[in-house]
Amino acid sequence: VTHFRCLGRFAWPFFWAVNFMVIFLYATVLSRACISWKVVLYLLLLAPFIDAMNTYDLIRTSQHDNVFTATANTELEKLASDVPAGKYQAILPLPYYHIGSESHDASIDPAPEHVVNTTALAYHAKLPLMSSMMSRTSVVQSKSFFSIFNDSVPDAKLLSKLDDRPILVFCDSTYYADSTLFGGFEHDLPRTTFYNSRGVVSKYKMQQVAKQGSYNLYELSIGALQDANR
């Protein structure tokens, strides 16, 4: 093992040990305390319930609309309804994003709204995304996806993982009209990938299948990717 990181899950043994110890000590003290102290100790038991009430009020007053509901984004819902079930194998979002690599020059951080929109579309269309917003993503696999946009031919290993069904491409032209809305680029590879992604529609001769406002759906055939790789 060459990579070790202390995450929150390593606190669980300590968390449970301390809580059970506190319960034991509390019961021990309560059994030996006089009447007045017992009243105080019993009143202290109300503190978690009071805190829970405050938490409930905060949650109730700070709720946002669920982006996966049918009424959250009617344009995305309409786009998803136009997608034939089972025809496509995945969704490729444009502009492309890929977050989570330990190598920062292999991460493309998008506008939060773009992540929400692409994830909601994937949910409604019941298709996986070819982008990601995770942690510990493979640098090699990240750059393999970037080859779709940056290289004259896509990575052969990436193509070997795809079947014969076409890929559904979702493009939000808002970010190409004003790139500052998408996010900043501190490294050359994310910047290059963003600007090169503007030309992939014509590069792979994609066919437009639907449009709603600034949202566009295109069909990318696997044959077009394979032809570029020959």
Side-chain angles (χ1 to χ4, degrees):
V1 177
T2 59
H3 188 122
F4 183 84
R5 178 179 294 167
C6 183
L7 300 177
R9 60 177 172 268
F10 293 105
W12 282 109
F14 173 79
F15 172 84
W16 286 113
V18 168
N19 275 273
F20 284 123
M21 183 180 296
V22 168
I23 293 173
F24 173 76
L25 293 176
Y26 198 90
T28 302
V29 173
L30 188 62
S31 65
R32 299 176 182 177
C34 61
I35 297 299
S36 58
W37 274 108
K38 285 185 177 181
V39 172
V40 173
L41 292 172
Y42 278 122
L43 289 175
L44 287 176
L45 290 176
L46 296 176
F49 296 98
I50 295 174
D51 185 61
M53 292 174 60
N54 293 332
T55 302
Y56 172 76
D57 289 337
L58 177 63
I59 294 174
R60 183 173 53 83
T61 57
S62 62
Q63 286 293 304
H64 298 282
D65 292 335
N66 185 348
V67 299
F68 298 117
T69 60
T71 57
N73 191 322
T74 54
E75 291 185 340
L76 284 177
E77 182 197 6
K78 180 64 171 61
L79 278 181
S81 66
D82 292 335
V83 177
K87 180 177 180 180
Y88 301 99
Q89 60 179 305
I91 296 175
L92 178 68
L94 297 178
Y96 187 72
Y97 62 89
H98 207 287
I99 308 168
S101 172
E102 295 295 327
S103 176
H104 295 294
D105 66 346
S107 292
I108 304 176
D109 297 298
E113 294 81 3
H114 191 48
V115 177
V116 170
N117 289 338
T118 54
T119 306
L121 177 64
Y123 172 81
H124 289 301
K126 298 178 175 57
L127 289 171
L129 284 168
M130 295 179 70
S131 58
S132 71
M133 187 176 185
M134 303 185 297
S135 60
R136 314 290 183 86
T137 56
S138 165
V139 176
V140 174
Q141 292 179 0
S142 299
K143 293 183 177 180
S144 178
F145 279 108
F146 296 167
S147 69
I148 297 174
F149 312 101
N150 301 330
D151 299 346
S152 57
V153 294
D155 185 11
K157 291 183 179 180
L158 173 62
L159 293 179
S160 67
K161 300 179 185 300
L162 301 173
D163 58 37
D164 294 333
R165 291 175 297 169
I167 295 170
L168 185 67
V169 177
F170 169 77
C171 177
D172 188 344
S173 59
T174 301
Y175 302 109
Y176 291 129
D178 185 357
S179 61
T180 60
L181 298 175
F182 188 72
F185 303 105
E186 298 181 2
H187 301 278
D188 290 337
L189 182 58
R191 183 185 303 107
T192 301
T193 303
F194 172 82
Y195 287 109
N196 285 346
S197 69
R198 294 181 299 181
V200 294
V201 172
S202 58
K203 175 182 179 181
Y204 296 114
K205 299 179 176 60
M206 301 182 195
Q207 299 295 318
Q208 188 176 54
V209 295
K211 177 178 175 62
Q212 288 289 328
S214 64
Y215 305 148
N216 298 271
L217 289 183
Y218 297 94
E219 182 175 305
L220 170 59
S221 70
I222 301 303
L225 291 173
Q226 293 172 338
D227 289 342
N229 203 40
R230 288 170 184 162

